[in-house]
Amino acid sequence: MLVRVLPDVVAIDREFTYTVPEGWADSPRFGIGAMVRVVLHGRRVGGWITEANVERPEGVELAPLAKLSSRGPSRGLIELSEWAAWRWAGRRAHYLRTASPPRMVAALPRPQRTRLVDTGDYADLFEGEGRTLRSRPSDDSLPVAIAAATRGQALILTPDHDRADELVRRLARQGVWVTRYPDGWAAAAAGATVVGTMSAAWAPAPDLAAVLVIDEHDESYRSGSAPAWSGRDVAIERARRAAVPCVLLSPVPSLEALRSKPVLRPSRGAERDGWPQVEVVDRRSEDPARAGLYSPALVRALRDGGRVACVLNRLGRSLLLACRVCGELAVCTECGMSMCQGDDGWLQCRSGDHTRPLVCADCGSTGMRNLRAGIKRVREEVESLVRTPVAEVTGSGYVGPATARVVVGTEAALHLGRPFDVVAFLELDQELLAPRFRAREQAMALIARAARITGPRTAGGRILLQTRLPDDPAVVAAFRADPALLARSERDRRQELGLPPYGAIAVVSGPAAGDFMARLGNPLDIRIAPDPGGQFYLRASDYDTLCNALAAVERPPGRLRIDVDPIRAI
């Protein structure tokens, strides 16, 4: 028997033919997708069998498979990897790694029966092709997950590991045979319901009956490394290929979700009650140079004695300073860049090459006004306001008392897994005016996450939005607890500008980007805009046009990154 093998080498995206040693074909591990070891260019590498019983190529001496390692992805997942490689301009090996077991699997466990469980009021969601359900931030996703598992083997995606672990425990208590991906790869291949983060979109599911994506709007479903694929979109495509229903669950559905499936929503009264009370602090009348971050409403919230989380996506201590005497900005005398204050109290050039004491270069004064405080400085100032220890949290970790009443940090403060009475966004305009076309959508996602940890207004939950843009669609939607207001505004804007999901965007970067673009040329249906930093922005009317053009280009040697529909694109 002859088989084709795709090597587990990202730089080599082609298949090679090998012979199968005698007796291997009778092993239960052998088949399409099986993980093997082969000799390639004098060294042994891993790979996957992609096709069996192929014809012998002429004039080539074939080598045998070196080792039959483990069961691997199914034929359907191998075909799905081809689609994903086209959709995100990647390599098949990248996706098949995600679809493979973390440890070698020789045999599958004995299947278990899921005991009868109550489907509740959500069974209708999984009729036909599925729905997009606009839930309330305070709603529990367990009843929807139970409705999915009742149909048979379900594939359930959550945006973070803690929620996935909790959902596995709760489903198991309800009598569902459930496993956590990727550690439960073998159980998933035997037919268990699968729960996991974005990688679970590639879990084995031979008896797939339903797909559920919880908080489909969350950016955690996007891969941070190239190719930047979307777990949500893979799950949707997988459900379509298997002809099973796919339900997208979110309090703030993305335009992609609203466009892909019929939408169900709660009544206006029920939806409003499921959101916390949102207080908008209009700061337009305040002097930006003197107002600072601490409005009277924020000071009252900090001193009321409740649990407060202050969110400011700005690392460091002091990012922009001005002299209190002459008003000159702190600028590097060597390169002209602005200077910030480091932890040692000295001024540091943003290039990192120059430092000087905290002295005005124009008048020599040592008094500086902090125009853009980072969270380190904010924590110190909040501590002086509340006169109690305040914790600081960033993506790097948590600093301060474990039970601190007040927490200051980046959006990482919203991922602590603990409740707060008030969440205050100290400068929401920084999120609304970010140089990204998804900025408002991303700001609304942060507000929705804050709404989940404060609880509904009936339980006393509050969100404080400090802004100079009170009429922004995202602010109005949050204030009225009506995400549809933002969705309509964003839909009209993106349709007019041809932005996703009503258009397609890709960013090509890396040392080999110039060579790649030279090979691409100037297709009629692709608009190309070079960037001074060496990047190239590509736009097309749809993904078929864009992805077909990218797939037709042979990659040049060298480092190359292609981000199709990048989440942080301008």
Side-chain angles (χ1 to χ4, degrees):
M1 181 186 294
L2 304 181
V3 295
R4 286 202 180 96
V5 175
L6 175 68
D8 186 7
V9 181
V10 174
I12 303 176
D13 193 28
R14 55 171 294 195
E15 299 171 358
F16 299 87
T17 304
Y18 290 86
T19 63
V20 179
E22 186 176 352
W24 282 25
D26 298 328
S27 171
R29 290 176 293 170
F30 184 82
I32 304 298
M35 300 174 66
V36 296
R37 302 284 291 181
V38 298
V39 176
L40 183 67
H41 299 306
R43 64 189 183 102
R44 290 178 59 162
V45 299
W48 300 271
I49 296 177
T50 59
E51 194 173 351
N53 297 313
V54 300
E55 296 183 2
R56 179 182 293 272
E58 297 182 1
V60 178
E61 183 178 350
L62 300 179
L65 298 174
K67 182 180 179 181
L68 180 58
S69 301
S70 171
R71 294 173 180 263
S74 64
R75 181 190 295 271
L77 288 177
I78 290 177
E79 294 173 352
L80 186 65
S81 72
E82 297 174 359
W83 171 83
W86 167 84
R87 174 63 175 78
W88 289 287
R91 303 288 196 180
R92 288 177 291 169
H94 180 92
Y95 305 104
L96 291 179
R97 287 176 184 172
T98 308
S100 299
R103 294 172 294 277
M104 300 298 104
V105 174
L108 302 181
R110 179 175 298 179
Q112 303 177 23
R113 287 190 60 187
T114 290
R115 298 191 298 272
L116 185 64
V117 291
D118 181 17
T119 62
D121 299 326
Y122 295 98
D124 292 345
L125 283 177
F126 293 91
E127 298 297 332
E129 65 176 12
R131 302 287 189 274
T132 292
L133 176 60
R134 195 175 84 200
S135 59
R136 305 177 302 176
S138 57
D139 284 347
D140 187 1
S141 59
L142 178 64
V144 185
I146 290 176
T150 304
R151 297 183 64 89
Q153 185 179 26
L155 188 61
I156 303 174
L157 273 62
T158 66
D160 57 73
H161 294 282
D162 290 341
R163 292 179 66 186
D165 293 337
E166 180 186 9
L167 186 58
V168 167
R169 291 192 293 267
R170 297 178 70 190
L171 285 173
R173 287 197 294 266
Q174 295 291 328
V176 178
W177 183 32
V178 60
T179 190
R180 175 76 158 84
Y181 193 80
D183 292 337
W185 190 97
T193 284
V194 180
V195 176
T197 55
M198 63 176 292
S199 64
W202 294 95
D207 304 314
L208 185 62
V211 174
L212 171 63
V213 183
I214 298 173
D215 281 354
E216 61 78 26
H217 67 276
D218 201 294
E219 290 184 13
S220 300
Y221 288 121
R222 290 299 299 265
S223 169
S225 59
W229 57 279
S230 165
R232 177 200 63 194
D233 293 349
V234 171
I236 293 173
E237 176 66 15
R238 191 167 180 186
R240 186 192 69 80
R241 290 173 176 241
V244 301
C246 176
V247 171
L248 306 177
L249 181 66
S250 172
V252 284
S254 63
L255 290 181
E256 288 82 358
L258 295 173
R259 195 183 185 205
S260 65
K261 297 183 180 300
V263 181
L264 294 179
R265 59 182 65 84
S267 67
R268 279 299 304 132
E271 185 172 35
R272 189 182 304 109
D273 290 341
W275 281 76
Q277 185 71 40
V278 175
E279 181 179 352
V280 178
V281 180
D282 185 354
R283 313 202 69 188
R284 289 177 294 181
S285 61
E286 302 177 23
D287 182 356
R290 299 180 181 276
L293 295 172
Y294 311 105
S295 66
L298 175 61
V299 173
R300 285 195 300 270
L302 290 169
R303 291 176 172 172
D304 277 348
R307 299 163 297 181
V308 182
C310 299
V311 179
L312 179 66
N313 279 328
R314 194 186 296 158
L315 296 173
R317 177 177 297 276
S318 300
L319 279 70
L320 185 65
L321 300 105
C323 177
R324 290 185 179 275
V325 177
C326 66
E328 287 292 323
L329 294 177
V331 176
C332 180
T333 56
E334 301 291 334
C335 65
M337 298 185 70
S338 64
M339 305 189 80
C340 59
Q341 186 180 19
D343 292 339
D344 58 1
W346 280 50
L347 294 177
Q348 298 177 353
C349 178
R350 290 193 176 274
S351 66
D353 297 331
H354 310 109
T355 62
R356 75 165 189 257
L358 192 65
V359 176
C360 175
D362 192 63
C363 71
S365 171
T366 58
M368 291 284 181
R369 178 182 294 113
N370 195 347
L371 300 183
R372 288 181 66 83
I375 58 171
K376 287 184 178 293
R377 180 61 180 166
V378 170
R379 182 186 66 81
E380 296 170 356
E381 293 173 346
V382 170
E383 266 190 350
S384 67
L385 278 173
V386 299
R387 299 183 180 181
T388 187
V390 173
E392 176 188 328
V393 58
T394 66
S396 302
Y398 184 98
V399 179
T403 58
R405 180 179 69 83
V406 179
V407 173
V408 173
T410 63
E411 62 188 78
L414 305 178
H415 296 261
L416 288 177
R418 48 190 275 203
F420 289 93
D421 301 308
V422 179
V423 173
F425 290 87
L426 302 189
E427 194 170 318
L428 186 65
D429 299 343
Q430 178 177 309
E431 311 301 328
L432 298 174
L433 299 178
R436 304 183 293 267
F437 74 86
R438 297 183 187 271
R440 288 188 177 92
E441 193 175 76
Q442 291 162 347
M444 192 67 185
L446 291 178
I447 296 172
R449 180 171 282 275
R452 178 168 287 129
I453 64 177
T454 61
R457 65 185 66 198
T458 54
R462 288 178 58 209
I463 293 178
L464 203 65
L465 305 179
Q466 295 192 153
T467 178
R468 296 177 185 275
L469 300 169
D471 298 324
D472 187 273
V475 177
V476 174
F479 178 73
R480 297 185 181 179
D482 188 1
L485 298 176
L486 175 62
R488 286 193 289 268
S489 171
E490 284 291 286
R491 178 198 61 198
D492 296 342
R493 183 177 66 91
R494 294 197 203 173
Q495 280 181 335
E496 184 175 353
L497 298 176
L499 296 172
Y502 307 101
I505 292 178
V507 179
V508 180
S509 59
D515 292 341
F516 180 88
M517 295 304 298
R519 298 183 181 191
L520 176 66
N522 294 287
L524 293 177
D525 298 330
I526 307 290
R527 286 172 288 172
I528 301 172
D531 181 87
Q535 297 186 119
F536 296 85
Y537 292 85
L538 283 64
R539 294 183 62 177
S541 59
D542 54 67
Y543 285 108
D544 286 347
T545 301
L546 180 63
C547 295
N548 285 336
L550 294 173
V553 180
E554 182 180 356
R555 292 199 175 206
R559 291 179 53 211
L560 178 71
R561 180 184 176 105
I562 303 176
D563 288 342
V564 178
D565 190 16
I567 202 69
R568 297 283 175 175
I570 293 177

